[in-house]
Amino acid sequence: MAKFVFITGGVVSGLGKGITSSSLALLLKARGYKVFMQKFDPYINVDPGTMSPYQHGEVYVTQDGAETDLDLGHYERFIDEELNYTSNITTGKIYSSVIEKERRGDYLGATVQIVPHITDEIKSKVYAAASTSGADIVLTEIGGTIGDIESQSFIESLRQIRNELGKENTAFVHCTLVPYIYGSNELKTKPTQHSVIELRGMGIQPDFIVTRSPEELNDHLKEKIALYCSIPKEHVIDSVDVKNIFQVPLNYHKQGMDELVLKQFGLEVKPSQIKYWEDLVDKVDNLKDEIEISLVGKYVELHDAYLSVAESLKHAGYANNVKININWVNSEDLEKIDDLKDVFKNTSGIIVPGGFGSRGIEGKIRAINYARENKVPFLGICLGMQLACIEFARNVCGLKGASSTEFDELCADPIIDLMAEQKEIINMGGTLRLGNYDCKLVKGTLAYEDYKQDEIKERHRHRYEFNNKYRDLLEEKGMTFSGINEKANLVEIIELKDHPHFIACQFHPEFKSRPTKPHPLFNSFIRESIKFK
Ligand code: GLN
């Protein structure tokens, strides 16, 4: 049977619970255990797929097509394991499945209640994470802060699991804030004490307390927290602010957190294979050169909207020994600027990531046009590929009315259009083309050179497709269709012949990039950007 770690947060939100959870999971994996991760989000949306990036940052997509919280991206990048639809559970998911069961008659005769029906449903999701993954240890992060009304049924479910499985099979990690108070010039543990009182009021005694603070906690403070919160002093884990988040697991490791968790579970403490991560931290702290990459999008004020793309650029930077400075370019601004040279004067590569809706589209098309004409390395992702095709159709093939039916339903040349099966869809939630699809690569292309494979699988999240009616024309004019989904005959990757590095894909490569394994498309993009510089 799997062991379970539950991570809660107290005092304030934004403590980096996701990084804490991922860091512990990474350490347990480095000790030779198979780990799996899950996040509970207390909101009523069934998934974040229908939320604006301004609300929620990016939507992360798993291989099996679940639209999830961006924390899952941290999880996958840290533990390098593929997560699945059991990895992100919302209140909306729990309630819709309980209500569906009620309507079906599964509870005939009973009054359907939060305890036990909702809590049983939540518990079943924890166990499903263990059974679908076959993991030795499942780590579940509970979104929100202790005391929130929304998360109460989740906390109650975890209390029940602890009661059923005992301390040797479950561990509670509570993350809190230890603020520095100016004036008295000291770190304060009182908010942590109060947060633990609140957690205890819900029937949960934490086993570990992870304290986020601007300075390291001294022994005295750790002792104080241990005393008031009834845990051994060694179970107070200091999580001091760091410049490089990859340092976090190493800090926990130094304090013995992984070993202590394994001991609580009665699991063998095998030697830690953490050297690869230490090397990564070392590399990240000592990058030789720098380059600027322009990321053109409409949500650029909110960097979280492009989190995985930004991380993927950095990963490729590590592999190529350069620090990536992202020039965040608002696509709407580009619509008003006369000479794009001013915007891109220090730029060595241009990336246009995914997006939805018509705002800022013409600005992105101008950026693509600039990259194409000035031979600046270009990587387009999803909407970025669709717009690269539109730009090419308009400015090289002379189809002035080229567009996507997403922004202009009646355009003269719908280069990008809905597939027949998408036209019948009424619901917006969960109905995009999602998750892994096959793509066959054409030999002799940039894409093939990058992947060095005939067949790849990549994750998708889009509704519109390249319109095959225009394939011959664009090909004649110099576009190569280097990746195709053969089953549905869909364009997956395009590139240009008359350009050193212009490539774009319909899928989202950013979901598969890892700090120590950059994605091939990002890797070559950064390599070529360095050459361009
Ligand atoms: N809006 C486009 C579509 O739905 C692109 C989506 C994306 O970039 N993720 O097809």
Side-chain angles (χ1 to χ4, degrees):
M1 199 192 74
K3 310 279 184 183
F4 298 94
V5 179
F6 302 119
I7 300 101
T8 54
V11 185
V12 290
S13 60
L15 284 175
K17 259 189 312 189
I19 297 294
T20 294
S21 309
S22 313
S23 298
L24 178 57
L26 177 147
L27 292 175
L28 296 171
K29 181 175 176 179
R31 293 278 188 180
Y33 290 95
K34 182 166 167 53
V35 295
F36 191 72
M37 299 188 74
Q38 178 180 49
K39 175 152 194 220
F40 286 154
D41 276 313
Y43 49 73
I44 315 284
N45 302 60
V46 169
D47 61 43
T50 52
M51 285 187 212
S52 151
Y54 290 120
Q55 289 280 317
H56 201 268
E58 97 179 347
V59 173
Y60 191 79
V61 181
T62 57
Q63 35 83 25
D64 59 347
E67 295 177 277
T68 73
D69 184 75
L70 55 73
D71 265 330
L72 271 80
H74 290 309
Y75 298 173
E76 285 205 354
R77 287 188 284 273
F78 269 58
I79 65 174
D80 193 17
E81 295 285 339
E82 293 209 314
L83 302 176
N84 65 31
Y85 66 95
T86 67
S87 289
N88 198 191
I89 304 298
T90 65
T91 297
K93 269 206 177 78
I94 297 292
Y95 273 77
S96 58
S97 113
V98 168
I99 289 168
E100 199 185 304
K101 288 181 185 169
E102 186 276 331
R103 292 288 81 186
R104 207 163 54 205
D106 290 11
Y107 310 116
L108 272 188
T111 305
V112 181
Q113 292 177 300
I114 296 202
V115 181
H117 301 97
I118 293 294
T119 50
D120 279 354
E121 189 69 26
I122 294 172
K123 281 151 65 182
S124 77
K125 302 296 185 199
V126 176
Y127 297 131
S131 61
T132 58
S133 66
D136 304 311
I137 306 171
V138 174
L139 295 96
T140 302
E141 176 191 347
I142 295 82
T145 309
I146 288 303
D148 294 348
I149 298 174
E150 285 90 348
S151 56
Q152 281 183 4
S153 43
F154 288 107
I155 304 290
E156 165 58 16
S157 308
L158 305 185
R159 185 194 66 76
Q160 293 177 20
I161 293 181
R162 168 65 155 246
N163 195 40
E164 287 159 19
L165 302 182
K167 194 171 169 168
E168 60 286 6
N169 293 308
T170 56
F172 279 94
V173 176
H174 190 52
C175 304
T176 68
L177 177 73
V178 174
Y180 184 89
I181 302 297
Y182 291 93
S184 61
N185 295 341
E186 53 183 358
L187 293 168
K188 289 293 190 184
T189 66
K190 190 70 84 189
T192 298
Q193 297 172 38
H194 277 291
S195 182
V196 170
I197 290 170
E198 183 120 30
L199 192 58
R200 282 204 200 115
M202 304 174 90
I204 290 170
Q205 162 64 41
D207 302 300
F208 291 86
I209 295 176
V210 175
T211 54
R212 177 78 187 271
S213 59
E215 282 178 13
E216 272 181 36
L217 267 59
N218 59 28
D219 264 7
H220 167 68
L221 286 175
K222 281 195 172 183
E223 268 159 23
K224 199 165 159 188
I225 292 173
L227 174 70
Y228 281 99
C229 302
S230 318
I231 58 171
K233 186 180 124 199
E234 306 71 60
H235 286 223
V236 180
I237 308 294
D238 182 11
S239 193
V240 69
D241 296 348
V242 285
K243 270 214 261 358
N244 171 358
I245 58 164
F246 298 145
Q247 182 65 44
V248 175
L250 301 182
N251 289 354
Y252 294 176
H253 181 61
K254 243 190 282 164
Q255 298 171 74
M257 188 181 193
D258 38 338
E259 187 174 341
L260 292 167
V261 170
L262 293 175
K263 281 191 174 148
Q264 175 165 334
F265 288 156
L267 293 172
E268 186 193 343
V269 182
K270 302 181 223 174
S272 174
Q273 312 289 343
I274 197 70
K275 173 84 171 53
Y276 80 104
W277 199 262
E278 290 168 347
D279 293 345
L280 172 71
V281 171
D282 198 48
K283 177 162 234 173
V284 172
D285 288 340
N286 296 295
L287 294 170
K288 239 180 32 217
D289 293 316
E290 306 190 3
I291 56 166
E292 179 185 284
I293 299 294
S294 284
L295 186 154
V296 183
K298 69 172 169 178
Y299 309 109
V300 287
E301 323 83 79
L302 183 76
H303 296 180
D304 268 0
Y306 302 104
L307 183 62
S308 292
V309 172
E311 289 301 309
S312 304
L313 289 170
K314 290 191 220 161
H315 301 162
Y318 309 150
N320 289 285
N321 211 358
V322 286
K323 179 170 180 278
I324 308 289
N325 298 320
I326 299 181
N327 176 29
W328 300 90
V329 180
N330 185 329
S331 51
E332 275 181 298
D333 293 347
L334 291 188
E335 290 167 9
K336 296 164 229 150
I337 293 171
D338 289 336
D339 192 356
L340 295 195
K341 271 206 180 69
D342 298 336
V343 180
F344 296 125
K345 60 179 182 293
N346 297 319
T347 284
S348 304
I350 296 178
I351 185 162
V352 177
F356 291 83
S358 56
R359 188 165 63 84
I361 288 296
E362 293 305 322
K364 290 180 190 178
I365 292 178
R366 280 194 75 194
I368 294 168
N369 175 265
Y370 181 92
R372 185 175 58 74
E373 289 185 344
N374 295 284
K375 311 262 189 254
V376 183
F378 173 77
L379 178 61
I381 295 176
C382 206
L383 180 66
M385 183 200 94
Q386 298 175 352
L387 299 179
C389 295
I390 292 170
E391 192 281 325
F392 193 80
R394 283 186 192 171
N395 300 322
V396 179
C397 307
L399 302 176
K400 293 287 167 239
S403 192
S404 162
T405 50
E406 181 179 7
F407 345 115
D408 183 359
E409 246 179 285
L410 302 173
C411 62
D413 287 294
I415 299 291
I416 307 297
D417 197 7
L418 278 182
M419 278 193 301
E421 62 197 63
Q422 280 284 348
K423 286 188 180 148
E424 286 145 29
I425 286 172
I426 300 164
N427 282 350
M428 292 300 277
T431 55
L432 296 166
R433 182 169 179 242
L434 290 165
N436 269 358
Y437 283 92
D438 293 328
C439 168
K440 190 164 166 60
L441 300 179
V442 179
K443 287 214 169 85
T445 60
L446 293 179
Y448 195 92
E449 223 174 89
D450 287 348
Y451 284 94
K452 299 184 175 47
Q453 253 169 284
D454 295 315
E455 289 274 356
I456 54 164
K457 267 190 205 324
E458 290 280 3
R459 301 184 198 176
H460 295 68
R461 182 172 186 254
H462 62 108
R463 208 179 292 282
Y464 293 80
E465 303 284 353
F466 180 82
N467 185 345
N468 285 330
K469 269 201 295 201
Y470 294 92
R471 220 192 264 187
D472 289 345
L473 174 65
L474 271 66
E475 207 155 29
E476 234 168 74
K477 299 282 182 189
M479 183 172 272
T480 304
F481 297 93
S482 53
I484 300 290
N485 173 280
E486 289 190 313
K487 203 162 159 211
N489 192 21
L490 296 174
V491 170
E492 293 278 358
I493 310 179
I494 62 114
E495 45 193 83
L496 294 183
K497 286 199 187 81
D498 185 25
H499 191 289
H501 195 82
F502 189 107
I503 185 163
C505 50
Q506 186 56 75
F507 49 80
H508 290 270
E510 69 271 25
F511 297 140
K512 284 179 74 173
S513 178
R514 306 287 175 255
T516 52
K517 289 182 209 156
H519 189 282
L521 294 180
F522 279 92
N523 198 24
S524 63
F525 172 61
I526 294 303
R527 191 192 60 223
E528 294 306 314
S529 301
I530 295 169
K531 276 192 208 155
F532 180 87
K533 185 188 174 188

